[in-house]
Amino acid sequence: MNDSTTHAAQPAIELDEDGHLCDHTIWTPAIAQQLADTLEVQLAEEHLQVLLQVRAFFAKFNHPPATRPLIKWLQKTLPEYDISNQKLQQLFNTGLVARHVNRLAGLPKPPNCL
């Protein structure tokens, strides 16, 4: 039995050198969870709502959001979650909020991120 039969349920996802999806159009919540596993984060409804809004930002403005525009957008579109940079750091277990939230949303790295 070769190794590919055990992983048949999960199609291979192609990542760039920074760990971002090469094709953002194949994103699904299951792929988001695979990416979130690298941060030791179990995605819940709140995480998914944030990721869907990050994707909505990308669809509207045609670029991944940097931290400040990301937070302003989330505060406007998800007021019930009381979003702040600190809250996103806690939710996604990272200090590099824009970088990792875009990555988990299946989007490219924002241009100003290291």
Side-chain angles (χ1 to χ4, degrees):
M1 178 162 109
N2 71 25
D3 198 44
S4 65
T5 57
T6 58
H7 297 297
Q10 291 182 347
I13 55 174
E14 194 177 343
L15 302 176
D16 67 15
E17 67 275 4
D18 294 314
H20 293 253
L21 282 181
C22 290
D23 178 3
H24 71 87
T25 64
I26 67 165
W27 183 89
T28 65
I31 288 174
Q33 183 57 64
Q34 277 184 266
L35 298 170
D37 288 344
T38 65
L39 298 174
E40 299 178 8
V41 172
Q42 181 61 45
L43 297 179
E45 183 62 25
E46 186 172 8
H47 295 93
L48 291 173
Q49 290 303 315
V50 167
L51 296 178
L52 289 170
Q53 282 304 320
V54 172
R55 292 182 63 80
F57 180 103
F58 182 82
K60 181 171 183 165
F61 300 107
N62 205 29
H63 65 84
T67 303
R68 281 195 179 143
L70 168 68
I71 291 168
K72 283 185 175 181
W73 176 261
L74 293 173
Q75 287 172 338
K76 185 174 96 176
T77 59
L78 296 171
E80 66 274 24
Y81 290 124
D82 195 26
I83 297 294
S84 68
N85 192 32
Q86 293 77 12
K87 180 165 186 178
L88 292 175
Q89 287 177 8
Q90 290 170 345
L91 265 180
F92 292 96
N93 197 26
T94 181
L96 303 171
V97 171
R99 166 81 185 276
H100 288 291
V101 171
N102 279 290
R103 189 171 67 84
L104 299 187
L107 301 173
K109 183 172 75 170
N112 63 343
C113 285
L114 301 175

